[in-house]
Amino acid sequence: MNTRFFKKIYLLPKWLLELFSWGKSFRNNPIIGSYWLNRCGLHVARVVIAHGLFRFRLLLLSPLVPAEDRRQFREQGFVLKHNFLPRADFEKLAQELQSYQGDVREFVEGTTLTQRVFITADERARMPAMKALIENPHLDRLTRYCSSKNRRPLYYVENLCNHANVAPRPDPQRDMHADTFHPCVKGWLYLDDVDDGNGPFIYVPKSHRLSWRRLKWEYRQSLEACKHGDKRQSGRYWDGSFRVSDCELAAMGFVPKIFRVPANTLVVANVHGFHCRGEAKQQSHRMTVWMQARDNPFNPLFTFWPESTARLFEWGWGKVLRRLDGARLASGEQRNFGGKFSR
């Protein structure tokens, strides 16, 4: 009893800091996961404040991108651009990434094998086409604006191998969900044509906006998460990412959009909006340049990340990835390192 008490006192500052950051676990943080605090509106208050600050930062960064891109992102929750790169540049990039050999992380979710490479400065030095993409002014300004943080996102190369194995658990990415309680951004530049055969990205337009129906849904989910924790139960929760059913989407007036798109299409989406990985009808693969930007949602201004500190940040994030690798291996999750992408 005394040990548990002192452990709580020791962890209290961490729990409080998480409350004012991107912390989202209802199971690991008793403040975020307090039923009575959430009954009084704690989760909804965090959602509303984070969204208000996000919109304020977007306003400050509006000169970075054309009005049409701003309108589409604000209204629909995503920006879609076909033929993003000139054909010659895209072919060089696709050939460079498809022939890549290096430190490829592999992990299994259900029947999906995901292969991923974190693009550090060292990787960029030996990948000229990838370096040119990252330094593309149009892409740089668009991701800085959509993330609302005025910094470059983290870049990866990702290859999804569908129906690569038989697993007892389903792929959680195929459940319709919101990544977290606050606006954050992911992007994909598709290196392959995407259709029902290799599992298209599915997004629910306008679901990123705080309508009254969405707020009521967030409130109900927060109370359910307090009761059950955020372990995946009945297909609803996974690490603080709320799952949503087809009936709930219909009740909120939402209709999903399936992104069946050709290669060289760029999608940048606010993944507080509902989305999922579409079911692949056959054994197949889908390769993308994957971008992610997630920072403290309660920072009223930007993330000041000078380019001179980028290597230090990448080193720190690499340490986090290795720690996550160890935790997943300890939990029995299938994970290893390959030398090249599967095709």
Side-chain angles (χ1 to χ4, degrees):
M1 179 66 179
N2 289 335
T3 302
R4 289 198 299 269
F5 174 77
F6 285 113
K7 183 178 180 180
K8 289 180 179 180
I9 294 297
Y10 175 75
L11 291 174
L12 182 60
K14 174 179 178 290
W15 293 335
L16 288 172
L17 285 174
E18 286 182 348
L19 186 63
F20 298 99
S21 70
W22 52 78
K24 62 177 182 175
S25 177
F26 285 74
R27 178 166 55 98
N28 297 329
N29 187 318
I31 299 176
I32 292 174
S34 166
Y35 179 84
W36 293 107
L37 287 177
N38 283 293
R39 191 174 179 87
C40 293
L42 173 63
H43 174 72
V44 171
R46 296 181 82 213
V47 171
V48 171
I49 293 170
H51 277 72
L53 293 172
F54 178 73
R55 293 300 296 268
F56 175 66
R57 293 190 300 267
L58 287 183
L59 179 64
L60 295 179
L61 293 172
S62 58
L64 288 178
V65 296
E68 177 58 26
D69 289 346
R70 298 198 304 266
R71 183 198 62 78
Q72 186 180 23
F73 186 71
R74 289 197 309 267
E75 294 182 4
Q76 302 297 318
F78 63 87
V79 176
L80 173 66
K81 290 186 176 294
H82 296 290
N83 298 314
F84 180 72
L85 291 176
R87 176 171 291 275
D89 293 346
F90 176 74
E91 289 177 353
K92 288 179 183 177
L93 177 67
Q95 183 178 5
E96 181 177 87
L97 299 184
Q98 288 165 3
S99 61
Y100 174 87
Q101 293 194 34
D103 190 11
V104 179
R105 283 180 168 82
E106 297 182 342
F107 59 96
V108 173
E109 294 177 300
T111 61
T112 306
L113 170 68
T114 300
Q115 300 179 308
R116 193 175 288 166
V117 173
F118 176 44
I119 303 300
T120 63
D122 291 337
E123 294 290 346
R124 291 195 296 274
R126 65 190 189 96
M127 302 170 70
M130 186 68 189
K131 183 175 186 291
L133 173 69
I134 293 173
E135 295 176 354
N136 181 299
H138 189 184
L139 179 61
D140 187 55
R141 289 193 294 266
L142 181 64
T143 54
R144 286 175 185 271
Y145 170 78
C146 292
S147 69
S148 85
K149 289 299 187 177
N150 196 29
R151 74 159 175 86
R152 183 180 290 169
L154 300 175
Y155 282 85
Y156 302 78
V157 183
E158 181 179 79
N159 188 48
L160 298 180
C161 302
N162 298 296
H163 302 291
N165 62 285
V166 178
R169 292 179 295 179
D171 182 350
Q173 303 301 329
R174 300 197 189 279
D175 295 333
M176 189 67 72
H177 64 282
D179 273 12
T180 188
F181 69 93
H182 60 86
C184 57
V185 163
K186 290 180 179 176
W188 300 263
L189 177 65
Y190 292 98
L191 302 180
D192 298 303
D193 294 334
V194 181
D195 54 28
D196 292 334
N198 58 2
F201 177 60
I202 301 175
Y203 189 83
V204 182
K206 302 182 180 181
S207 62
H208 67 298
R209 301 166 69 176
L210 286 189
S211 65
W212 180 243
R213 289 180 178 178
R214 176 68 191 264
L215 280 175
K216 289 195 294 184
W217 181 86
E218 290 281 350
Y219 180 74
R220 291 194 298 268
Q221 300 315 300
S222 69
L223 298 184
E224 287 295 317
C226 290
K227 294 176 183 177
H228 302 298
D230 50 23
K231 288 185 177 179
R232 191 169 184 266
Q233 298 183 8
S234 305
R236 301 308 298 272
Y237 304 107
W238 185 269
D239 191 27
S241 301
F242 292 158
R243 268 47 189 168
V244 61
S245 69
D246 292 340
C247 292
E248 288 169 327
L249 283 179
M252 287 184 276
F254 294 138
V255 179
K257 174 182 174 64
I258 302 175
F259 286 78
R260 302 182 184 94
V261 296
N264 198 17
T265 296
L266 175 71
V267 177
V268 179
N270 179 349
V271 288
H272 174 72
F274 298 125
H275 62 284
C276 69
R277 181 185 296 163
E279 193 70 43
K281 292 184 176 180
Q282 61 196 37
Q283 191 172 38
S284 57
H285 66 84
R286 172 161 64 81
M287 181 176 276
T288 63
V289 175
W290 181 58
M291 298 151 260
Q292 179 176 241
R294 183 178 297 187
D295 291 291
N296 188 341
F298 299 111
N299 181 352
L301 296 174
F302 312 129
T303 298
F304 295 100
W305 182 13
E307 291 300 320
S308 60
T309 66
R311 282 181 177 270
L312 180 61
F313 181 87
E314 290 170 354
W315 174 83
W317 183 242
K319 296 272 287 185
V320 171
L321 290 177
R322 287 189 289 273
R323 183 176 179 183
L324 291 174
D325 290 336
R328 285 161 172 157
L329 285 170
S331 68
E333 180 179 323
Q334 292 178 258
R335 175 173 285 260
N336 55 41
F337 295 88
K340 61 182 180 179
F341 292 111
S342 301
R343 299 297 292 170

